[in-house]
Amino acid sequence: MFRNYLQSFRMNSVRIFVLVCLAAICTEAILTDCDGNVLGDATDASFGTLYNCTVRHNHSIQLLYRYNMTDSKMIGKKAVRIYAQSLNASTTFPVLFVVKQQRSVLSWAIPTILTTSDGISYEYSSVGRTLCPEQTQEIYVDISTMNMYSTRFQLVANLEGISISDGQGNISVSPAKSRFYRFDFPHNVSSVMVKAESIDDLCTVLSVQDVECPVYDMIGTVEHAGYRQTMTRRGAITVERNTFYNASFFIVLVVKPNDLDCEKFQRIFFSSSASEETTYFDRNKVININIEATLSRSEFFAVIFSTLAFFLAFYVVALVVGIACHYRNRLSGIEDESDIRNCLIDPNQAPTSYGAVGSLETRDLTEDGDCLINDDANSQSTTPESSASDLRRGSTKTCLCVAELSRKPELKLAKKYRLYVWNLVTLAIFYVLPVIQLVITYQMVVNKTGDEDICYYNFECAYKVGFLSAFNNVYSNIGYIMLGILFIALVYRRQLLHEKVMVTRDPDAQECGIPQHFGVFYAMGIALAMEGVLSGCYHVCPSFNNFQFDTAFMYMIGWLCMLKIYQTRHPDANAQAHTAYCVIAFVVFFGVIGVTQGSPAFWIVFVVIYILCSLYLSINIYFIGQWRLQTGVLHGLYCKVRYENLCCSRPHDCSRLVLLVFGNIINIGFAIFGAVTMPKDFASYLLAIVIINLLMYFAFYIIMKIRCGERILLWAAVYIFLATVAWGIAFYFFMQRLTSWQVTPAMSRESNEDCLLFGFYDSHDIWHFLSSVSLFLSFMVLLVLEDDLVDVPRDRISVF
C-alpha cells in the first residue's frame, strides 16, 4: 500500500512539474521580466523608471501611466515625454509603439525611418516623443512586434514642463527626438517674436502651431499646420495674439535628417558652393529659444506718424523757402519771382539757321582748356544742308555752343519731351498692376500655407500688420513716393515761373540761359515715386522670382539722370522717349538673364556688348553728338590709314579726351571684373555700372563747367554737399546685407539682424530713407545747376 502511494505521489509530482513548465512557457511573452519586475496586462508604470524588456510575435506589453494636474495653473504646461530604444530591432520586424491617450493616439516604430524631400531615407533606433498635454490622463503604452524571436527594447517616461514665458536654453533636438513648447500671451502683449539660435549648421524646422492635438512634430507632418521656416543658426517668427485660438501656441523644433533642404536652392542655381554632409546619425542640435514682445499699438502708431512727419518736413521746408524767396523778390523789386533777367541780343548777331550763330560762330580752347569766344568777324555761317553734311561725314567743330543745338521750335521740343512723361506713365501702369497682383498672391500663399521659406525677409525685424508679413520693409519706401511727388511739384512751380517770364519778357530774352524743357524732370519725379511703389511691392515678398521689381526703376532713374545731363546742352540732339525706354528694357532683360542663366557664354556676350556700347557712347560724347557710324566715316578712316599712315594729330579737346579715356578704363575694368568673378547678384552688379557711369558723367559735367569759367551757385553747392553726405551714409547701410536670395532661406537667415531704429526699422529700411533723400537732393542739383547761366546768351554757353 505504501509502495502504491509512493508511486502515485511520484506520478502526480511529474504531472505538476510538467504543468508548471507548460504554464511558464505559455506566459513567457505576457509576463516579461523587465529588470526583475514581472509585468502583466496594463501594468502600472512609474515616471522616471527605465524599463528594459523583451517582446516577440503575438505577445505585447502594455504599460499604464497615470497623472493628475491638481493645480489649474499647471494645466497644459506639463506633458509626458517618452524615450524608447531598441538596438536589435530590424526594419523587417520593427518594434511598434502605440500610445493611447484620452483624446488621441500616437504611434511610431523602431527603427524609425525618416524620408527627406529628396527621397533619401534614414533609420533611427532611438526615439523621443512628447505627448499632448491634458489635465487628467491615463496613458496606455502598447509595445509589440511581429518578430518570432524576442526583441529587447528600453523605455522611460518623464513628466516635463513645456511652458516657457520668455525663453528656453540648451534645448537638445535630433531628427527622431523632436520637441515642442507652449507659450501663452501675457494680457498686455499683442505680438511676440520667437527667436531660435544655435551654434551649428544642422538644418532644422522652426514651427509655431495652434495648441491642439495632435502636434505635428515630425519630418513628414510638421508642414501640415501653423507657420514654419527652415534654419541653421538663426530663425525668427513673428506671432500675433489673434493668429491662434486662446492666445497661445506651440513652438515646435524638428531637426532634418540631412542638410539638403537648407542647401537645395543653392545646389540647383549656384552649383557646388554647398557643403557636403559626411554623417547623418550624430545630428544632435542644441537650440536656444528667446521670446520678445514687439511694439505695442501706441508705439507702432508713434513710429508710423513720426516717419510720415519726417518726410512732410521736406514739404514744409520747401514751402517756407518758396515764401521767403517770394517776399525777398518783392522787396527787391523783382516782379516774377525769378532771377531771370532781360538778355538783349543784337539782332544782327542773332542766329539765323541751324548750326550758325552769326558773328559768334565757333569757340576755341586755350592751351589750358578754357573755353573762349572767337570774335572773328569773317567767320562764315553754315546752312542746315552743310550742317547735315558735316554730320554725315562725322566732322566736328572745335567747340560748339548751346545756340547751335537749340534751333528746333520750342513747341516741337516740348511735345517731344512730354512723351517722356506719358510713355513712362503708361509703362508704369502696365508694369505695376501685374506686379501688385503677383506679390499679393505670393503673400496669400505664405499666409495660407505657413511656409515662410517663400519670402526672404529679415525675420528678426519683420513686423506683421494685416496680411503683410514685413510691413516695416514695405512702409519704409514711403519716402520715395512723397519726395517724388514733392519734386514734381517743385518742377511744376519752376515751369509756371518760366512760362510767366517767357510771356512777359521781351522775345529776345528767350535766347538766354539753358533751354528749359521740363519733360525729363517730370519723368524723373514719376520714376522716383514708382521706385517707392515697386520697391514696396518687392518687399511684400522679396525672393529670387521678383528681384527685378526692386531694380527696374533704379535703372530708369540712373538713365533719366544721364539723359537730363546730356539734354541740358544738347536739347535738339537728345534721344526720343521710346528709344530711351527701349534701352531700359534691354538693360532689364540682360539683368534677368544674368541672374537666372549666368553662364560663361552669357558673360562673354555681355562683356563684348558692354565694351562696344561704352566705346560708342564715348565717341558720341567726344564729338558732341555729331559723329555717326556711316560709310563716309569708314571711308575717311580708310583714307587716313592709306595716305597718312595714321599720323598722330593733336586732339580737338584734350580735357574731354582725358576724362573719357579715364571713364573707359573704369568701364573696361568693370567688364573684366564681371567676366572673371561672374558675380551671382548680377542685378546689383548692373546697378553698380549704372551708378558709376552716372557719377562719372556728372563729375565730367561739373569739371567741364568749371573749366569753361561757369559758376556753381550757392543752392547748387548746398544740394551737392547734402547729396554727397546722404549718399555716403546711405551706402553704408546698403552694404549691411541682411538677406540674400542668392542662397537658401535658411542660410539667408544667418545674416538677419535686430531692428536699429525705433525698434521697428532695420538697416535696409534706413537705406530706403536715406536713398530716397539722396535721390531727391540729386534731382534738385540737376534742377538748379544751370541757374548761373540764366542771363548768359546761348551762343556764349559751351557744349560739352
Side-chain angles (χ1 to χ4, degrees):
M1 184 177 179
F2 176 78
R3 182 178 299 174
N4 292 336
Y5 176 80
L6 182 59
Q7 186 176 1
S8 177
F9 175 79
R10 288 176 179 176
M11 292 177 66
N12 289 334
S13 299
V14 171
R15 290 173 182 171
I16 295 173
F17 177 79
V18 171
L19 291 175
V20 171
C21 290
L22 290 174
I25 293 173
C26 292
T27 60
E28 179 182 357
I30 299 175
L31 301 177
T32 305
D33 187 1
C34 294
D35 294 339
N37 297 318
V38 178
L39 305 176
D41 290 339
T43 302
D44 288 340
S46 301
F47 290 110
T49 300
L50 176 63
Y51 294 94
N52 190 355
C53 311
T54 58
V55 66
R56 65 184 179 89
H57 177 56
N58 288 335
H59 299 287
S60 64
I61 295 177
Q62 188 176 73
L63 303 179
L64 173 60
Y65 292 91
R66 293 187 177 92
Y67 72 89
N68 183 20
M69 293 293 180
T70 57
D71 187 355
S72 61
K73 295 182 179 180
M74 296 302 297
I75 297 176
K77 297 185 177 181
K78 284 190 175 183
V80 175
R81 184 166 178 82
I82 297 177
Y83 297 90
Q85 176 178 286
S86 179
L87 299 179
N88 59 344
S90 64
T91 56
T92 305
F93 298 105
V95 178
L96 306 178
F97 295 80
V98 180
V99 181
K100 293 178 287 186
Q101 298 176 261
Q102 182 177 344
R103 294 179 296 175
S104 62
V105 176
L106 181 65
S107 63
W108 67 87
I110 294 182
T112 293
I113 300 176
L114 300 180
T115 303
T116 60
S117 59
D118 52 357
I120 303 176
S121 299
Y122 301 93
E123 298 180 10
Y124 296 89
S125 59
S126 180
V127 175
R129 301 295 301 273
T130 302
L131 309 184
C132 261
E134 296 182 4
Q135 179 179 0
T136 302
Q137 282 201 22
E138 288 186 349
I139 302 173
Y140 291 88
V141 182
D142 292 331
I143 306 100
S144 62
T145 182
M146 297 297 291
N147 195 347
M148 298 297 296
Y149 301 96
S150 297
T151 304
R152 181 165 292 278
F153 70 92
Q154 293 178 324
L155 183 144
V156 63
N158 297 316
L159 189 60
E160 300 179 352
I162 61 170
S163 177
I164 56 177
S165 57
D166 56 358
Q168 182 76 25
N170 297 324
I171 301 174
S172 179
V173 189
S174 64
K177 297 178 181 178
S178 58
R179 282 185 174 273
F180 67 85
Y181 293 88
R182 173 172 174 162
F183 176 82
D184 296 287
F185 277 93
H187 294 293
N188 58 343
V189 176
S190 60
S191 177
V192 296
M193 182 174 293
V194 180
K195 295 183 178 181
E197 296 183 354
S198 179
I199 60 174
D200 58 63
D201 296 322
L202 299 182
C203 188
T204 306
V205 176
L206 171 65
S207 173
V208 293
Q209 303 175 16
D210 202 356
V211 178
E212 60 182 12
C213 296
V215 180
Y216 299 97
D217 61 344
M218 293 299 291
I219 294 298
T221 62
V222 70
E223 299 177 355
H224 295 166
Y227 294 88
R228 66 193 179 279
Q229 58 182 229
T230 55
M231 60 164 285
T232 52
R233 293 177 178 267
R234 308 182 74 161
I237 299 179
T238 300
V239 184
E240 294 183 303
R241 188 185 189 92
N242 57 1
T243 301
F244 301 113
Y245 298 111
N246 301 322
S248 58
F249 59 89
F250 284 141
I251 304 169
V252 183
L253 301 171
V254 181
V255 175
K256 295 274 189 174
N258 61 33
D259 295 327
L260 297 181
D261 287 338
C262 291
E263 299 175 350
K264 183 186 302 181
F265 180 88
Q266 180 148 338
R267 288 176 180 267
I268 293 174
F269 291 98
F270 302 115
S271 300
S272 59
S273 60
S275 60
E276 293 296 333
E277 187 70 32
T278 57
T279 177
Y280 299 96
F281 299 102
D282 186 18
R283 293 179 61 81
N284 189 67
K285 188 180 184 73
V286 177
I287 302 176
N288 295 321
I289 296 291
N290 293 309
I291 302 178
E292 302 174 358
T294 60
L295 296 180
S296 64
R297 188 178 182 85
S298 59
E299 292 172 332
F300 168 78
F301 282 109
V303 172
I304 294 300
F305 288 116
S306 296
T307 305
L308 194 63
F310 172 75
F311 290 106
L312 285 175
F314 285 85
Y315 285 77
V316 174
V317 171
L319 181 62
V320 170
V321 171
I323 294 174
C325 291
H326 172 75
Y327 283 103
R328 183 200 64 180
N329 294 336
R330 292 189 61 181
L331 293 175
S332 302
I334 301 176
E335 296 180 357
D336 297 316
E337 304 182 32
S338 174
D339 290 332
I340 300 178
R341 298 185 291 275
N342 281 322
C343 181
L344 300 179
I345 301 177
D346 186 352
N348 295 326
Q349 296 179 349
T352 59
S353 63
Y354 190 94
V357 289
S359 63
L360 301 177
E361 179 192 348
T362 61
R363 293 166 177 263
D364 290 325
L365 294 176
T366 61
E367 293 183 358
D368 61 354
D370 293 332
C371 293
L372 296 176
I373 299 297
N374 183 355
D375 292 326
D376 185 3
N378 297 322
S379 298
Q380 297 182 357
S381 299
T382 59
T383 64
E385 291 77 10
S386 64
S387 179
S389 177
D390 286 343
L391 291 177
R392 287 193 297 269
R393 293 195 307 267
S395 63
T396 181
K397 297 179 180 180
T398 303
C399 188
L400 291 175
C401 62
V402 170
E404 294 180 278
L405 296 178
S406 58
R407 300 303 301 158
K408 291 183 179 180
E410 291 288 333
L411 292 178
K412 182 177 181 180
L413 288 178
K415 182 178 179 181
K416 171 184 176 180
Y417 291 120
R418 276 200 299 269
L419 289 177
Y420 274 88
V421 179
W422 296 116
N423 285 1
L424 184 59
V425 170
T426 304
L427 287 172
I429 292 174
F430 279 92
Y431 190 67
V432 168
L433 292 180
V435 166
I436 294 175
Q437 180 182 5
L438 180 64
V439 297
I440 290 178
T441 301
Y442 280 152
Q443 184 66 76
M444 293 176 64
V445 170
V446 172
N447 296 340
K448 188 71 174 178
T449 65
D451 185 2
E452 295 197 343
D453 283 352
I454 296 175
C455 306
Y456 285 72
Y457 304 118
N458 175 20
F459 286 90
E460 296 193 14
C461 188
Y463 285 85
K464 185 177 294 186
V465 176
F467 73 96
L468 296 176
S469 297
F471 175 80
N472 54 315
N473 296 148
V474 176
Y475 183 73
S476 61
N477 292 280
I478 191 174
Y480 296 108
I481 301 174
M482 295 186 65
L483 294 181
I485 295 173
L486 176 59
F487 183 75
I488 293 173
L490 294 175
V491 172
Y492 180 68
R493 177 183 180 275
R494 193 177 183 91
Q495 182 181 8
L496 291 179
L497 294 177
H498 174 73
E499 291 175 351
K500 187 176 182 180
V501 168
M502 292 300 101
V503 170
T504 58
R505 295 296 184 181
D506 190 279
D508 289 332
Q510 296 180 8
E511 302 298 330
C512 288
I514 296 295
Q516 298 295 308
H517 302 292
F518 299 96
V520 179
F521 278 133
Y522 283 122
M524 290 163 57
I526 295 172
L528 180 58
M530 293 311 304
E531 169 60 23
V533 174
L534 284 171
S535 179
C537 290
Y538 167 75
H539 285 89
V540 170
C541 182
S543 69
F544 173 82
N545 299 317
N546 58 8
F547 68 93
Q548 68 272 20
F549 302 162
D550 193 33
T551 56
F553 270 80
M554 291 299 290
Y555 302 143
M556 183 78 72
I557 290 172
W559 181 237
L560 288 175
C561 288
M562 285 190 278
L563 286 176
K564 183 58 194 177
I565 296 173
Y566 186 80
Q567 180 213 43
T568 302
R569 301 188 186 229
H570 308 77
D572 291 356
N574 209 16
Q576 297 286 343
H578 63 275
T579 304
Y581 294 138
C582 282
V583 172
I584 293 298
F586 184 72
V587 172
V588 173
F589 172 76
F590 256 93
V592 173
I593 299 300
V595 172
T596 57
Q597 302 292 334
S599 62
F602 163 80
W603 277 100
I604 293 173
V605 174
F606 171 77
V607 168
V608 171
I609 295 177
Y610 179 21
I611 294 177
L612 290 178
C613 290
S614 178
L615 293 176
Y616 175 78
L617 291 175
S618 299
I619 294 173
N620 251 324
I621 293 174
Y622 179 76
F623 289 106
I624 319 176
Q626 297 185 22
W627 184 84
R628 296 292 185 274
L629 183 59
Q630 296 177 351
T631 56
V633 175
L634 298 177
H635 178 71
L637 181 61
Y638 168 76
C639 293
K640 190 171 187 65
V641 173
R642 181 175 180 180
Y643 299 111
E644 301 181 21
N645 296 322
L646 282 176
C647 294
C648 295
S649 58
R650 187 177 184 272
H652 294 291
D653 191 336
C654 292
S655 57
R656 183 182 289 112
L657 179 64
V658 170
L659 292 173
L660 290 174
V661 168
F662 176 76
N664 275 277
I665 292 174
I666 297 296
N667 277 288
I668 293 174
F670 256 103
I672 295 174
F673 171 80
V676 172
T677 61
M678 291 191 293
K680 300 172 185 176
D681 191 357
F682 184 78
S684 296
Y685 170 79
L686 203 57
L687 183 59
I689 291 176
V690 175
I691 293 174
I692 293 298
N693 279 275
L694 173 59
L695 292 177
M696 288 193 300
Y697 190 27
F698 180 74
F700 163 81
Y701 191 90
I702 294 295
I703 292 173
M704 293 300 297
K705 182 177 176 67
I706 294 174
R707 289 181 66 85
C708 288
E710 299 175 6
R711 297 176 298 147
I712 306 295
L713 296 184
L714 177 61
W715 275 113
V718 169
Y719 284 132
I720 290 174
F721 173 76
L722 293 177
T724 302
V725 173
W727 276 121
I729 302 174
F731 275 114
Y732 169 79
F733 287 100
F734 177 75
M735 298 306 295
Q736 310 299 312
R737 307 305 291 266
L738 303 180
T739 61
S740 175
W741 43 258
Q742 305 169 49
V743 295
T744 62
M747 298 173 69
S748 174
R749 291 186 186 96
E750 295 182 11
S751 302
N752 289 178
E753 296 290 345
D754 292 333
C755 299
L756 290 181
L757 185 63
F758 304 137
F760 188 75
Y761 297 119
D762 59 21
S763 59
H764 194 74
D765 295 324
I766 299 175
W767 151 256
H768 287 162
F769 295 146
L770 293 176
S771 62
S772 62
V773 173
S774 303
L775 286 169
F776 173 77
L777 294 173
S778 301
F779 289 2
M780 292 303 298
V781 171
L782 299 182
L783 187 63
V784 304
L785 184 60
E786 302 296 355
D787 284 356
D788 64 306
L789 302 176
V790 292
D791 58 351
V792 178
R794 292 179 184 174
D795 55 4
R796 293 182 178 272
I797 301 176
S798 300
V799 173
F800 42 78

